[in-house]
Amino acid sequence: LTARAIQREGKLLSHCVGGYAQRHMKGTLSILFLRKSDAPGVPYVTIEMHGNAIQQIHGYQNDRGSVSPRITHKAFIDTWLAWLKKGSPRDEQGNPIIPKKRVKKEAVA
């Protein structure tokens, strides 16, 4: 919600997202925080968006020595991006309407 929150995120994750705070506040780009459900107040992954496209996604120290969050959270990110591309639909209670996964049919020999 604030530039200070983005700066705090960068400091705790040891990466440069704090430098993007003013651009986020001006609406030039969007900075999002991905959290673990069991630790919602603890910085985990930061996402830079331009419209509905991810520009960067990084965890602690830009994921140095670990698997990228793009890979680790691929299923979630793909589902979320598909929801965004469909216009972020919600039901009457305000809950997201998640696109259904397509099941590939195997060819019969």
Side-chain angles (χ1 to χ4, degrees), residues 46-64:
T46 308
I47 303 169
E48 175 194 351
M49 301 282 297
H50 289 226
N52 287 346
I54 293 175
Q55 296 300 306
Q56 298 185 64
I57 176 169
H58 292 294
Y60 183 70
Q61 292 185 338
N62 291 334
D63 320 306
R64 195 169 293 145

